[in-house]
Amino acid sequence: MSEAVSVQYFPVRATATSVTARAMSVHLVNPSHISFGVGVITPRWLFVLGAATPAAYGPPNIVDETLEPLDIHTVNSGDIVGIGIHTGNALRGYEIGTAARARGATVVFGGIHATLYPDEAHELGGAHAVVRGDGDVVWPLVIDHAAHGTLQRRYEGGRVDADRFVPARWDLLPSGRYMWGSVQTVRGCPKHCSFCSVWRTDGQKPRQRGVDSVVAEIIELRRRGFRFVALADDNFYPVALADLAMAERQGNVSRLEQLRALRAERFELMARLAELPADMVFFTQITMEAAEDVSFLDAMRRANIKGALVGVEAVTPEGLKDVYKNFNEAGEALVDRLKKFREHGVYVLGSFIFGLPSDRPSTFEATADVAERAELAFAQFVMLTPYPGTVDFEAWEKKVGESADRVAGIPITRHWLIPQAQRPKVYAPHPVMAPDEIRARTQAVWDRFYSLRRIWVRSRCTPTLRARLAFVLISKLYRQMYANTGIATDSARVNRANRWARLIARPCRRLFVARPLPAWENALSQPGPRKLFAASGDSLRPEG
Ligand code: B12
Ligand code: SF4
């Protein structure tokens, strides 16, 4: 694209001190068609781009619509509105962009969906410019161009090297609204699952952030009263033992060294996390292969990484073949592998996909049984959705071609443009089950796994009554928030679920917050976090 501006050609930051800079405001908006008042996890991109916004333009106005909708009257002519979209919230993003443009603002889109469909943001979202890829480095340049009237149609943010990732600005967080902070430690994933776009957009080369900058952000969050932090990584375990063995077998010395260095850095990070206050709880996403890496699991336990989303996807070998995930186990070996996490103090949120071509009516109950026998703490059962940028999507789009069914006049191969309430639940025809059968059976599995009795039994994994209560509430919240992401058919059920989620969210948040530790304020430059704690007089964990 000739108009595209690539980040490589520009310095990290252009200067911007003009009068225009001070007269206009920068808004960053995370779109959502539904607001809960309280958020579970901080949407990290808002605070990363907030940090990347040049100081000359003043602090950006951050709006997360999962908390409450944007008040469009806060947007004035000449302002810059940055909107980050993934596929699920693209339609709402386009509404916001169109409205902001009508008010005379400069509209810029970014995020994974805009990366995949930049023209769509121009055609439907009122975009003046679209940033593809990472925004860390290119965002200040975009703002400067907008301020100086030299804005381009397209910017290529590329895949920024890990040492140029911008740490988030947590001082921009609205207080008392989120349960978990989010810190990214690695971007990219070496695997190639067919339903996932990460390895194609973020790349297969893991870009690991330096340990110091990760720890500094966590300290900052803890200082503000967050003791629960999601490590917002694609895959926290980018080097499996099998990868090392393969490089060794191939006699590939440089690859082996590279992998060993990455792995050593993971252990270094976990050792540093272990030095943080003992009340910290981390959660991440990891592949199942980590179960056979006992030293890694033990390091996770010491680091207080107490939970991990594991993509189980399917419980049969045929299902795993369907999604190119042959590195996972099936059957009893799967149950044993998942239990390994638990034995080493890591509680698993198992993620399963329903609607795979090899699924049969019996697969649903069999999956629910595995989830129980494997002693999963949480589970999600998602229906196969072809996300753009994935191998599955491309195959499906090619197969249905021009003859794709239409809903509200929109081909289902552009399902994200169909109004939320009318979106189909199942996209690809299944060899033996009707779409509604898949939906109903999926819902039944959710209902079974999240029955109050079963949640209460599972909550025994927590140490105190307060923690058990938190477990029950978060389980119910999780269930209710998911009730409208695909499985519920009638709007009454969706509305009921949303009301419940709103009601539970506030008390739930209170169970997650910790005492802020402002004494850490000036101590970030000190040698190590453990010393900082001793110096602050806090007795969460003694020094030495
Ligand atoms: C952490 C995470 C979650 C968390 C937390 C979400 C949260 N509140 O932040 C949880 C577990 C809740 C979650 C849930 C889901 N997620 Co998720 N998630 C992620 C993950 C691993 C990291 C996101 C993150 O924080 N990255 C760090 C930030 C800094 O990076 P970033 O968001 O990409 O932003 C950068 C650029 O994109 C760009 N950018 C972003 N916005 C903007 C805006 C402007 C103006 C500009 C200039 C630049 C810009 O600059 C940023 C800095 O470089 C991504 C994978 C990924 N690599 O993105 C998946 C990912 C975003 N999730 C995905 C999916 C599918 C989901 C679910 C639908 C899963 C499900 N089946 O239920 C739900 C939907 C939730 C919802 N309704 O929003 C997909 C989205 C695919 C797509 N095409 O949209 C991804 C890409 C993973 C995948 N497997 O493909 N997710
Ligand atoms: S699903 Fe997970 S393991 Fe597979 S490519 Fe995506 S991030 Fe990597």
Side-chain angles (χ1 to χ4, degrees), residues 27-32 40-46 48-49 64 66 81-89 108-116 129-139 142 158 160 165-166 178 182-184 186-188 195-199 201-202 230-235 283 285 309 349 351 380 382-383 385 387-390 478 482 485:
H27 306 261
L28 294 171
V29 188
N30 188 42
S32 175
V40 179
I41 303 177
T42 51
R44 183 169 171 79
W45 79 267
L46 285 175
V48 168
L49 284 208
D64 177 8
T66 66
V81 179
I83 303 168
I85 50 171
H86 54 83
T87 299
N89 69 2
V108 183
F109 275 84
I112 180 155
H113 193 79
T115 298
L116 295 166
V130 173
V131 172
R132 299 184 69 224
D134 296 340
D136 308 55
V137 177
V138 81
W139 179 237
V142 175
V160 168
F165 288 0
V166 172
Y178 294 99
S182 53
V183 176
Q184 196 170 38
V186 60
R187 226 178 259 182
F195 57 86
C196 175
S197 55
V198 156
W199 57 282
T201 52
D202 279 358
L231 303 175
D233 300 328
D234 301 319
N235 176 4
F283 175 88
Q285 313 200 93
L309 184 150
L349 188 171
S351 181
Q380 62 181 25
V382 298
M383 286 189 295
T385 305
Y387 274 102
T390 64
Y478 195 72
Y482 258 99
T485 57

Side-chain angles (χ1 to χ4, degrees), residues 314-341:
V315 300
T316 61
E318 298 77 31
L320 293 171
K321 215 167 145 210
D322 284 342
V323 293
Y324 299 9
K325 209 151 184 169
N326 299 348
F327 58 88
N328 269 7
E329 292 287 358
E332 275 321 295
L334 165 64
V335 172
D336 289 346
R337 259 204 179 184
L338 289 170
K339 275 186 167 167
K340 273 271 170 350
F341 285 98

Side-chain angles (χ1 to χ4, degrees), residues 209-230:
R209 271 177 89 190
V211 172
D212 285 342
S213 80
V214 170
V215 172
E217 269 199 60
I218 292 169
I219 289 177
E220 169 76 3
L221 281 165
R222 181 63 187 85
R223 194 172 69 74
R224 293 174 183 277
F226 283 91
R227 70 185 190 90
F228 288 84
V229 175

Side-chain angles (χ1 to χ4, degrees), residues 55-119:
Y57 300 93
N61 172 33
I62 289 197
V63 181
D64 177 8
E65 289 207 309
T66 66
L67 303 181
E68 59 245 322
L70 166 74
D71 175 0
I72 196 71
H73 299 104
T74 58
V75 175
N76 296 310
S77 179
D79 287 356
I80 297 177
V81 179
I83 303 168
I85 50 171
H86 54 83
T87 299
N89 69 2
L91 191 58
R92 172 65 190 147
Y94 296 156
E95 275 171 26
I96 295 169
T98 306
R101 187 173 180 137
R103 291 183 64 80
T106 301
V107 176
V108 183
F109 275 84
I112 180 155
H113 193 79
T115 298
L116 295 166
Y117 291 97
D119 292 333

